[in-house]
Amino acid sequence: MSTSTQSGWGSRLGFILATVGSAVGLGAIWKFPYMAGTNGGSVFMLPYILFSVTVGISLLIAEFAMGRAGRAGPMTSLNKVVGNGWGFFGALGVFTVFLILSFYSVVGGWCVKYLLDALMGQGIVSDASQLGQHFGAFVSNGQSTFLFLVIFLGLTAVVVLRGVQSGIERIAKVLMPLLFILMLILIVRGLTLPGGLKGVEFLFMPNWEAFNASSLFNAMGFTFFSLSLGAGTMITYGSYLDPKADLPNSVFWIVALGILSSLLGGLMIMPSVFAFGVDPNAGPGLTFVTMPAIFAKMPLGTIFAVLFYLCLVVAALTSSVSMLEACCALLTRSLNWSRTRAISVTVAGCLVVGLASTLSFGAWSDVTFFGKNIFDCLDYFTSNIGMPLSTFGIAIAASWVAWNATKTELTRSRPMSEGTLKLIRFMIGVVSPAFVLVVALGNL
């Protein structure tokens, strides 16, 4: 195996951009706007920011510290640093991320399909009901959706096959700046629309009358989702990090850019939504049903539609690459498989699970478990059981069982006061597990 596939990041910037790409994904562009829209805008956004800069930073420190201390995949790192048996939490995270990659690639395939439609000038019509029918017909067509899933997974595999520096880092250095540029172009366009500033007010002007427990709780859950916590990806990326790199500083930049990405995602969509009098409470269909109708009413709407769906594909790819890398790291470092074999087996497994997920919108739509189709069951298990349990175990390990290792990783590049270290330990070992339990039990 060449050194470029396993030695680590070529630069601190590459590490930060790749990690931000993993954390951002479709969450910032697809999920954040509709979550903000259905939870009162600013009263959802402000708690989300607060939770990210407190609990989010703490949990990221824990995962990166365990990864860099172990210098291996999620399972092996925890077994080496914490002790035999603790690798279960790493393995659970990777199994969870494998399932996420399987059904996430379904949505990634949808993004590819809509990008191709936009490039061909199709699907940009003003009748939202017609767009809804078009979306429903597409996702219920198992052959078509599976084809686009294969294309999306193929793109992901090509990047990961090239390794950490030549594949993941190089693509992150191109795609992440491209993503921010595209988002800024669409934001400027939205803000220049008559009535677009109402979308900004919706996001940033506190409306405490809309505040409720549900908004607060959903903000907690989105923080957990938006930073890819408990999925094995951050331990994996941490294992490639230079021992001399400033870990706390890197985590700060990752969380800051993650928050910025979500805010840009909201600013990219909400001004247009308000400018055209669309209900911001449209839910998950905001991306695939509402936005094409808005583009149809815009001057040069087709061009902006292409830019918008290109954003979605880029964002989806930056996350899927990190998920596949986490699976690959576990198989290569635990079973000593070649990189090609690990990626091939993982992708093959994803195609099987992904096929079941695609069929759950069509031929297998009647197949339900506890009232949920296959796609929703996978989403529910990963969000409410897999990720919270994995994160909970890692937080306990990093703060109470292997605190000396965590402390060493925190102070490798520069010393920290005992008071600061005690605060970080309290946040990782007390506040963060309580946060995870509240999110998990509330969702259950």
Side-chain angles (χ1 to χ4, degrees):
M1 194 181 304
S2 67
T3 57
S4 66
T5 63
Q6 65 176 4
S7 61
W9 306 106
S11 66
R12 179 168 169 266
L13 175 63
F15 163 70
I16 290 174
L17 289 177
T19 307
V20 171
S22 170
V24 172
L26 286 175
I29 301 176
W30 171 58
K31 193 167 187 176
F32 178 80
Y34 85 73
M35 287 290 288
T38 54
N39 288 281
S42 59
V43 295
F44 166 85
M45 187 192 72
L46 296 176
Y48 153 67
I49 294 175
L50 175 63
F51 293 138
S52 293
V53 299
T54 52
V55 177
I57 286 178
S58 303
L59 291 173
L60 275 181
I61 286 175
E63 296 205 20
F64 284 143
M66 293 297 95
R68 188 164 71 170
R71 308 300 292 180
M75 184 172 72
T76 306
S77 285
L78 288 172
N79 279 335
K80 285 172 60 178
V81 178
V82 191
N84 290 333
W86 286 91
F88 163 79
F89 294 103
L92 175 62
V94 174
F95 176 67
T96 299
V97 86
F98 164 76
L99 296 179
I100 295 173
L101 178 60
S102 299
F103 71 81
Y104 182 94
S105 296
V106 176
V107 183
W110 297 351
C111 297
V112 174
K113 167 66 163 59
Y114 271 71
L115 173 60
L116 292 177
D117 281 351
L119 286 168
M120 294 185 292
Q122 300 174 358
I124 313 299
V125 296
S126 58
D127 187 344
S129 63
Q130 184 178 340
L131 287 167
Q133 293 172 3
H134 172 73
F135 179 70
F138 165 62
V139 299
S140 63
N141 185 330
Q143 291 182 336
S144 181
T145 51
F146 185 67
L147 172 62
F148 284 102
L149 179 148
V150 172
I151 293 172
F152 181 78
L153 269 177
L155 291 172
T156 303
V158 167
V159 175
V160 179
L161 273 169
R162 294 184 60 82
V164 177
Q165 289 185 29
S166 299
I168 298 171
E169 183 173 352
R170 182 172 296 176
I171 202 75
K173 286 181 175 180
V174 174
L175 292 187
M176 289 310 298
L178 174 63
L179 177 61
F180 283 116
I181 292 170
L182 293 174
M183 293 173 79
L184 289 172
I185 292 172
L186 289 167
I187 288 170
V188 171
R189 181 68 189 104
L191 292 176
T192 57
L193 294 170
L197 289 178
K198 292 182 180 179
V200 180
E201 294 177 5
F202 178 77
L203 285 174
F204 292 99
M205 292 293 290
N207 178 17
W208 299 115
E209 294 181 358
F211 180 80
N212 54 47
S214 177
S215 297
L216 182 67
F217 194 76
N218 286 328
M220 294 174 72
F222 183 74
T223 301
F224 193 75
F225 172 88
S226 68
L227 294 175
S228 298
L229 297 169
T233 55
M234 296 309 174
I235 290 184
T236 301
Y237 277 13
S239 71
Y240 301 136
L241 185 59
D242 188 331
K244 297 180 181 179
D246 189 332
L247 183 60
N249 185 265
S250 297
V251 168
F252 169 80
W253 278 107
I254 289 164
V255 172
L257 290 174
I259 293 172
L260 175 63
S261 300
S262 291
L263 296 183
L264 291 177
L267 287 172
M268 186 171 69
I269 290 179
M270 284 305 167
S272 299
V273 167
F274 277 83
F276 291 104
V278 176
D279 184 4
N281 193 21
L286 193 66
T287 299
F288 297 103
V289 177
T290 305
M291 290 306 293
I294 291 175
F295 293 133
K297 300 175 183 177
M298 281 187 181
L300 304 176
T302 300
I303 294 175
F304 288 105
V306 170
L307 293 176
F308 176 75
Y309 288 110
L310 182 59
C311 278
L312 283 183
V313 172
V314 168
L317 190 60
T318 56
S319 276
S320 63
V321 161
S322 70
M323 294 186 229
L324 182 54
E325 179 62 27
C327 298
C328 177
L330 183 141
L331 295 174
T332 56
R333 290 170 161 180
S334 299
L335 302 180
N336 204 28
W337 285 9
S338 69
R339 191 172 186 85
T340 300
R341 182 184 180 187
I343 293 171
S344 300
V345 170
T346 302
V347 170
C350 287
L351 288 174
V352 173
V353 179
L355 176 60
S357 299
T358 61
L359 293 177
S360 67
F361 294 99
W364 291 2
S365 59
D366 293 334
V367 178
T368 60
F369 302 91
F370 306 104
K372 300 179 184 294
N373 65 21
I374 297 172
F375 184 98
D376 291 336
C377 277
L378 291 172
D379 186 17
Y380 184 83
F381 171 81
T382 55
S383 299
N384 301 312
I385 300 175
M387 293 175 74
L389 182 57
S390 176
T391 304
F392 183 85
I394 293 168
I396 296 299
S399 58
W400 300 111
V401 187
W403 170 246
N404 287 336
T406 304
K407 181 178 177 180
T408 298
E409 296 305 323
L410 284 169
T411 55
R412 276 187 184 275
S413 61
R414 55 188 171 90
M416 302 181 75
S417 69
E418 282 300 316
T420 301
L421 288 170
K422 287 180 180 178
L423 175 61
I424 293 174
R425 187 178 188 182
F426 177 75
M427 290 298 299
I428 297 175
V430 178
V431 177
S432 296
F435 173 90
V436 172
L437 286 176
V438 169
V439 172
L441 293 176
N443 284 333
L444 289 172

